[in-house]
Amino acid sequence: MFEPSQAVQAVPGSAQTIHPAKVIAISSSSIKVACSNCNLRELCMPVGLNKEELARVDTLVDVRRKVKKGGALFHNGEKFTSLYAIRTGFFKTCVATEDGRDQVTGFQMAGEVMGLDGIVNDQHTCDAIALEDAEVCVLPFERIEELSHEIASMQRHVHKIMSREIVRENGVMLLLGSMRAEERLAAFLLNLVQRLHTRGFSQSELVLRMTREEIGSYLGLKLETVSRTFSKFADEGIIEVKQRHVRILNSDALRDLVSRPDCD
Amino acid sequence: MFEPSQAVQAVPGSAQTIHPAKVIAISSSSIKVACSNCNLRELCMPVGLNKEELARVDTLVDVRRKVKKGGALFHNGEKFTSLYAIRTGFFKTCVATEDGRDQVTGFQMAGEVMGLDGIVNDQHTCDAIALEDAEVCVLPFERIEELSHEIASMQRHVHKIMSREIVRENGVMLLLGSMRAEERLAAFLLNLVQRLHTRGFSQSELVLRMTREEIGSYLGLKLETVSRTFSKFADEGIIEVKQRHVRILNSDALRDLVSRPDCD
DNA sequence: CGACACCTTGAAGAGGTTCAAGAAATGTGG
DNA sequence: CCACATTTCTTGAACCTCTTCAAGGTGTCG
């Protein structure tokens, strides 16, 4: 009924990679692929750079970092020095209250940039945790500001990345503030699969890298509700669920759930 | 019991101003106060500029716009050209779904910058509505990028403003995702009064510029729940409420509600 | 002063949570 | 490679918070 085939995988070295390398930090000498040759180029970098600008941008990354599953890329309170572009792996970011509750504020995958929260007060205000073994490019923020100063399209690019994050969070606020459980989970699945598809994965099949509890935290629901809602979707033939493997059988039904609330 | 005294007001020409001017748009010639002399300077502008830089930043704003209560500064879908710094008045921003539901994503007051959502796709993704007659400084984004290019502290300032918005939204996600009605309203009141205090208003008394429904939308609650929660706080002697006039009698109680959920 | 928007309060109902138990998967150490 | 511990997931039943529906009160503005 549900073969966990890895046909889902398409872009090698991209998200959902399973086999980690063993190194912890890699100096520039061991980087084989420069930004200008990276297959995630279109996600991380500005477009329309000339040759000379490309060469300069290539100097931005001189360290990569590996983060083991469960490990932190940075913690709340930690000094902010760099942004991070994900090469491989999958992260969550979460904020916490004094009294221990925490809230997942996002899930990040290959090509996405993390750490923007740290700019305003020179320290991070959330934790970034790897949900699978991961590798990121370290982008020292001072170098980013220098490059932005020199290259107009780089400056524009940084502005767009930050604006995109603001718009994304607006969408999450809409979800948390006005949607019911089914709509939230439908929106979540559609969003995930769409981002994976952009990266060359299937439009209909995905492997969740997070627990029900983490999904619930992100969506403002309890893990039991997430589980029940998955089961309900499966009963209705909208999806097939086997643990963390999800196959979307009727994506129109999901879309209808998101755009038309309960009126039918 | 509750005199709606205007002792709340302190900074003339700042937020919570009640008497509007009549003009619609003002060209540079009629601007009496340059940024460098504006009393909101510390909120909008970078610090530590030298004289020459200050002069250049003064050229940024050459148009102001008045927006009548209920009017829109910009609409979802509208072409993005500028950011807006609020001089006087009070705004809400809201996003909408296709099916008509909408969600207030924030309330903005004097010295705060709006429009950041528009950068990523060159069009706005939310509506900005004036909740009282307002005046904003129009900051053409192309000029901002030019100035950022020339003045490092300006670039840094723009980054910080965007990062601050990301962090703010993280906080709202935490609120929407994991707090109960009382905690949400307590957090909301504390946040509002703190921002007003920064602008020279009372720490304990405020006039709400928005309806119960708008508060509810922002907090992910129905207007009846907001009203009931206000009444409950009033019964407990935590606040005094008379329509939109709120006096905080026990701000520690509010803080306790926010940081310690139900365990007491 | 009357129309309209906004606010308050009650009662019934629904959606999601909490508590609890058991099943399935995953990881670890022998 | 298997047994066991641990984590994760599923499902049921009772409960609770917030919503919905309804009615009346209050304030505001032309």
Side-chain angles (χ1 to χ4, degrees):
Chain A
M1 153 193 172
F2 200 104
E3 21 160 0
S5 72
Q6 289 306 335
V8 193
Q9 302 225 7
V11 177
S14 178
Q16 305 224 340
T17 302
I18 276 154
H19 305 295
K22 307 291 184 288
V23 202
I24 298 295
I26 314 177
S27 77
S28 58
S29 57
S30 63
I31 300 185
K32 302 125 202 161
V33 188
C35 287
S36 53
N37 285 328
C38 179
N39 58 359
L40 297 169
R41 187 176 61 250
E42 291 126 23
L43 295 169
C44 296
M45 282 181 36
V47 293
L49 296 178
N50 63 35
K51 212 160 184 177
E52 188 243 350
E53 289 168 338
L54 263 180
R56 264 197 279 180
V57 171
D58 272 343
T59 69
L60 175 57
V61 178
D62 56 31
V63 178
R64 296 222 185 102
R65 249 181 81 185
K66 299 240 178 211
V67 185
K68 285 252 166 243
K69 177 174 176 176
L73 178 59
F74 54 79
H75 274 296
N76 182 4
E78 201 167 289
K79 181 157 172 51
F80 167 75
T81 61
S82 308
L83 301 180
Y84 305 93
I86 304 177
R87 268 183 63 75
T88 64
F90 201 96
F91 285 83
K92 69 171 178 180
T93 46
C94 41
V95 294
T97 52
E98 310 151 20
D99 57 298
R101 278 177 301 187
D102 74 349
Q103 168 80 22
V104 173
T105 55
F107 296 108
Q108 292 81 20
M109 57 180 73
E112 296 178 337
V113 173
M114 291 189 296
L116 301 170
D117 60 282
I119 297 170
V120 60
N121 293 317
D122 277 313
Q123 60 177 41
H124 290 286
T125 59
C126 65
D127 295 338
I129 310 291
L131 297 181
E132 59 183 4
D133 291 0
E135 188 181 8
V136 302
C137 297
V138 178
L139 318 174
F141 192 60
E142 288 192 353
R143 295 281 300 121
I144 289 181
E145 290 198 320
E146 283 169 31
L147 278 174
S148 296
H149 182 71
E150 297 165 13
I151 305 173
S153 64
M154 184 69 183
Q155 186 187 62
R156 168 62 57 103
H157 188 66
V158 172
H159 290 155
K160 281 188 190 288
I161 284 176
M162 300 189 78
S163 177
R164 179 177 303 127
E165 178 65 4
I166 289 170
V167 171
R168 181 191 74 83
E169 294 193 353
N170 279 343
V172 177
M173 287 169 67
L174 176 62
L175 179 146
L176 290 172
S178 70
M179 291 187 179
R180 300 206 296 35
E182 291 177 32
E183 307 168 46
R184 294 184 196 193
L185 193 64
F188 171 74
L189 287 174
L190 288 172
N191 174 272
L192 259 193
V193 85
Q194 185 265 315
R195 284 155 68 202
L196 289 169
H197 188 228
T198 301
R199 288 159 180 78
F201 295 97
S202 167
Q203 288 190 65
S204 60
E205 206 166 325
L206 69 158
V207 178
L208 301 171
R209 300 273 109 125
M210 69 295 278
T211 66
R212 303 289 191 261
E213 184 167 21
E214 287 161 339
I215 296 172
S217 172
Y218 182 61
L219 299 179
L221 302 169
K222 293 297 163 188
L223 70 94
E224 294 94 331
T225 307
V226 173
S227 180
R228 269 184 255 271
T229 309
F230 269 128
S231 300
K232 181 155 187 288
F233 285 173
D235 288 348
E236 292 169 346
I238 298 175
I239 62 175
E240 232 171 54
V241 187
K242 193 177 182 187
Q243 295 293 123
R244 300 201 177 177
H245 295 259
V246 177
R247 180 180 293 153
I248 296 173
L249 303 173
N250 184 352
S251 59
D252 285 339
L254 291 179
R255 271 186 286 275
D256 286 356
L257 266 173
V258 175
S259 54
R260 286 181 302 176
D262 34 338
C263 33
D264 61 348
Chain B
M1 151 193 174
F2 201 102
E3 22 160 356
S5 74
Q6 289 305 336
V8 193
Q9 303 226 2
V11 177
S14 179
Q16 306 224 339
T17 304
I18 277 155
H19 307 295
K22 305 293 186 286
V23 202
I24 298 295
I26 317 177
S27 77
S28 58
S29 57
S30 63
I31 299 186
K32 302 123 202 163
V33 189
C35 287
S36 53
N37 284 329
C38 177
N39 58 359
L40 297 169
R41 187 176 62 249
E42 291 128 23
L43 295 169
C44 297
M45 283 181 36
V47 294
L49 297 178
N50 63 34
K51 212 161 185 177
E52 188 242 350
E53 290 169 338
L54 262 181
R56 264 198 279 180
V57 171
D58 273 344
T59 69
L60 176 56
V61 177
D62 56 30
V63 178
R64 296 223 185 102
R65 250 181 80 186
K66 299 241 178 209
V67 185
K68 286 254 167 241
K69 178 174 175 174
L73 178 59
F74 53 79
H75 275 296
N76 182 3
E78 200 169 291
K79 182 161 172 45
F80 166 76
T81 61
S82 308
L83 301 179
Y84 304 93
I86 304 177
R87 267 182 64 75
T88 63
F90 201 95
F91 285 84
K92 68 171 177 181
T93 46
C94 39
V95 294
T97 53
E98 310 150 19
D99 58 297
R101 278 178 301 185
D102 74 349
Q103 167 81 22
V104 173
T105 55
F107 296 108
Q108 292 80 20
M109 58 180 73
E112 294 178 338
V113 174
M114 290 189 296
L116 301 170
D117 60 282
I119 297 170
V120 61
N121 292 317
D122 277 313
Q123 61 175 41
H124 289 286
T125 59
C126 65
D127 296 337
I129 310 292
L131 297 180
E132 59 183 4
D133 291 0
E135 188 181 8
V136 301
C137 297
V138 177
L139 318 174
F141 192 61
E142 287 193 354
R143 295 281 301 119
I144 289 182
E145 290 198 319
E146 284 169 30
L147 278 174
S148 295
H149 182 71
E150 297 166 12
I151 305 172
S153 63
M154 183 69 183
Q155 185 188 62
R156 169 61 57 104
H157 188 65
V158 172
H159 290 156
K160 281 187 189 288
I161 284 176
M162 298 189 80
S163 177
R164 180 179 300 126
E165 177 65 4
I166 289 169
V167 171
R168 181 190 74 81
E169 294 193 355
N170 278 344
V172 177
M173 287 169 66
L174 178 62
L175 180 146
L176 291 172
S178 71
M179 291 187 179
R180 299 200 295 58
E182 292 177 32
E183 306 168 46
R184 295 184 195 193
L185 194 63
F188 171 74
L189 287 173
L190 288 172
N191 174 272
L192 259 194
V193 85
Q194 186 265 315
R195 283 155 69 201
L196 288 167
H197 188 229
T198 301
R199 287 158 179 78
F201 295 98
S202 166
Q203 288 191 65
S204 61
E205 206 166 324
L206 69 157
V207 178
L208 302 171
R209 298 295 160 186
M210 70 295 280
T211 66
R212 302 289 190 261
E213 185 167 19
E214 287 162 337
I215 296 172
S217 173
Y218 182 60
L219 299 179
L221 302 170
K222 293 296 162 188
L223 70 94
E224 294 94 332
T225 307
V226 174
S227 179
R228 269 185 255 272
T229 310
F230 269 129
S231 300
K232 181 155 187 287
F233 285 173
D235 288 348
E236 292 169 346
I238 298 175
I239 62 175
E240 234 171 52
V241 187
K242 195 176 181 187
Q243 296 293 124
R244 300 201 178 178
H245 295 259
V246 176
R247 180 179 293 153
I248 296 173
L249 303 173
N250 185 351
S251 59
D252 285 338
L254 290 180
R255 271 186 285 275
D256 285 356
L257 267 173
V258 175
S259 55
R260 287 181 300 174
D262 36 337
C263 34
D264 61 349

